[in-house]
Amino acid sequence: MLRRIIQIDEEKCDGCGICAKACHEGAIGIVNGKARLLRDDYCDGLGDCLPACPRQAISFVEREAAAYDETAVLSHKRKKEDGAQYGSPCGCPGSAPKVMKPVVADTSVNSMESQLSQWPVQIKLAPVNAPYFSNAQLLVAADCSAYAYAAFHGDFIRGRVTLIGCPKLDGIDYSGKLFEIISAGNIKDITVVRMEVPCCGGIEAAVKDAVSATGRDIAVKVVIISIDGKIIR
């Protein structure tokens, strides 16, 4: 049908995410650092997002588009609200998922090339259905471990999809989010790297609880790092 709908000028858009927050229907998302109309039937054509845009990157056009579907909008909003308890990605362009090609590092002690293969890495921000989780070897690490253990990239990140978190500071149980990732991604195996401090046990427990909930036989290896940067188990 021919109707009024928004149009986003990606050349003007700086990915600030203000429009995504202003859109009550959730029709706008941040994709690869730019605002994008996710689905025509999410847009009601009223334009609450227009005055919110500081770059004047949004305008109305009249074109062929699917009719506004309130049922689809409500379902979409419920899914977003359900994911909020796990810290779903927000409008911030820094939380947009990215797949990266890590530099092939040499084996010398002084090699400093990053082995990170994806973004974001925070458990709270990682999209459950991100393509990089498919058949991946997963690393779930405590925030501090990468600072304590000098060869973290070469010994642990290389060849794995990385998720990090701190159960004490984040104050949430990661097991639900990890269960969704493991279930959706058909994860091959999981390496947990945690510190020796007791509060780090929460990240290990969350992984084991999530794996148990899937009912699958997934190998989980736990590595414990001492506060002076040594592997103690």
Side-chain angles (χ1 to χ4, degrees):
M1 64 180 294
L2 187 68
R3 72 181 184 94
R4 192 168 89 150
I5 196 166
I6 65 160
Q7 176 174 275
I8 300 170
D9 186 339
E10 290 193 5
E11 292 297 318
K12 293 181 179 179
C13 176
D14 63 4
C16 68
I18 295 174
C19 59
K21 293 178 181 178
C23 179
H24 303 300
E25 286 70 36
I28 301 175
I30 304 299
V31 180
N32 295 327
K34 297 286 185 178
R36 184 174 296 175
L37 177 61
L38 300 178
R39 279 176 40 171
D40 287 358
D41 60 349
Y42 287 173
C43 178
D44 62 5
L46 297 179
D48 288 346
C49 54
L50 267 71
C53 180
R55 303 279 294 178
Q56 297 184 322
I58 304 175
S59 59
F60 277 124
V61 294
E62 190 163 303
R63 64 171 174 82
E64 286 291 330
Y68 174 64
D69 187 340
E70 186 176 5
T71 302
V73 168
L74 291 174
S75 176
H76 174 59
K77 290 170 75 173
R78 278 195 298 270
K79 287 179 181 178
K80 288 180 68 176
E81 288 166 1
D82 288 344
Q85 61 181 308
Y86 304 126
S88 296
C90 59
C92 171
S95 67
K98 298 180 180 65
V99 177
M100 299 175 285
K101 185 177 180 180
V103 177
V104 177
D106 61 42
T107 56
S108 67
V109 174
N110 294 324
S111 177
M112 298 294 287
E113 293 88 348
S114 172
Q115 295 302 301
L116 191 64
S117 63
Q118 101 291 338
W119 187 265
V121 294
Q122 287 284 347
I123 298 172
K124 292 174 65 177
L125 296 178
V128 171
N129 294 311
Y132 45 73
F133 286 125
S134 180
N135 297 308
Q137 292 180 287
L138 186 63
L139 169 66
V140 182
D143 288 352
C144 298
S145 58
Y147 292 94
Y149 187 71
F152 196 84
H153 275 248
D155 288 0
F156 297 118
I157 293 181
R158 184 184 300 172
R160 297 184 176 96
V161 170
T162 302
L163 292 175
I164 65 170
C166 176
K168 183 174 183 178
L169 295 181
D170 289 344
I172 62 172
D173 180 3
Y174 299 126
S175 57
K177 179 73 174 285
L178 291 171
F179 167 77
E180 294 185 55
I181 290 171
I182 295 166
S183 299
N186 194 31
I187 300 298
K188 290 181 179 178
D189 58 61
I190 304 173
T191 299
V192 179
V193 181
R194 50 160 293 193
M195 298 298 295
E196 63 177 322
V197 294
C199 58
C200 249
I203 204 162
E204 177 181 346
V207 170
K208 291 180 176 177
D209 288 348
V211 170
S212 177
T214 66
R216 293 176 50 206
D217 185 19
I218 302 174
V220 177
K221 177 184 178 182
V222 179
V223 179
I224 300 179
I225 309 293
S226 67
I227 57 175
D228 60 352
K230 296 180 177 63
I231 295 177
I232 57 178
R233 190 183 85 185

